Amino acid sequence: MTGVDASTFFGIVASSLTTLSLLPQLIKLIKEKKSGDISLFMLFILLAGCACWIYYGILKGDFIIIIANIVSCLLNGTVAILSVRYKNKD
């Protein structure tokens, strides 16, 4: 690994995978327009956790943590909004 140490590499891989973990759920939600099985409570806990990670990243000056969790918050927030929107259609 030229130019990137192992911890940075694995930090990027881990944050990318974690950030994209809700993408399949978001795609399914958009396609089916049904959200009966999605827990809003879980999404709000996840959003709170992402917000704490963003703050932690700011305190540490770690842009990988900050960016990954901002993207996670956007994905989680979108899933939460669509879940509420499509809850009435179930």
Side-chain angles (χ1 to χ4, degrees), residues 25 59-61 71:
Q25 184 66 61
L59 291 175
K60 296 295 244 177
V71 173

Side-chain angles (χ1 to χ4, degrees), residues 22 38-54 69 72-73 76-77 80:
L22 268 182
I38 298 174
S39 168
L40 288 176
F41 185 60
M42 182 272 303
L43 289 172
F44 290 127
I45 291 172
L46 200 50
L47 279 167
C50 286
C52 289
W53 273 112
I54 292 168
N69 284 286
S72 288
C73 278
N76 293 327

Side-chain angles (χ1 to χ4, degrees), residues 5-16:
D5 65 15
S7 65
T8 301
F9 173 77
F10 283 105
I12 291 169
V13 171
S15 63
S16 297

Side-chain angles (χ1 to χ4, degrees), residues 17-72:
L17 292 173
T18 304
T19 297
L20 297 175
S21 67
L22 268 182
L23 195 56
Q25 184 66 61
L26 179 59
I27 292 168
K28 182 179 180 190
L29 185 60
I30 290 169
K31 283 183 179 179
E32 295 181 3
K33 296 187 179 11
K34 291 167 52 177
S35 64
D37 294 336
I38 298 174
S39 168
L40 288 176
F41 185 60
M42 182 272 303
L43 289 172
F44 290 127
I45 291 172
L46 200 50
L47 279 167
C50 286
C52 289
W53 273 112
I54 292 168
Y55 183 65
Y56 175 78
I58 291 168
L59 291 175
K60 296 295 244 177
D62 191 325
F63 292 106
I64 294 170
I65 292 173
I66 296 167
I67 292 168
N69 284 286
I70 287 173
V71 173
S72 288

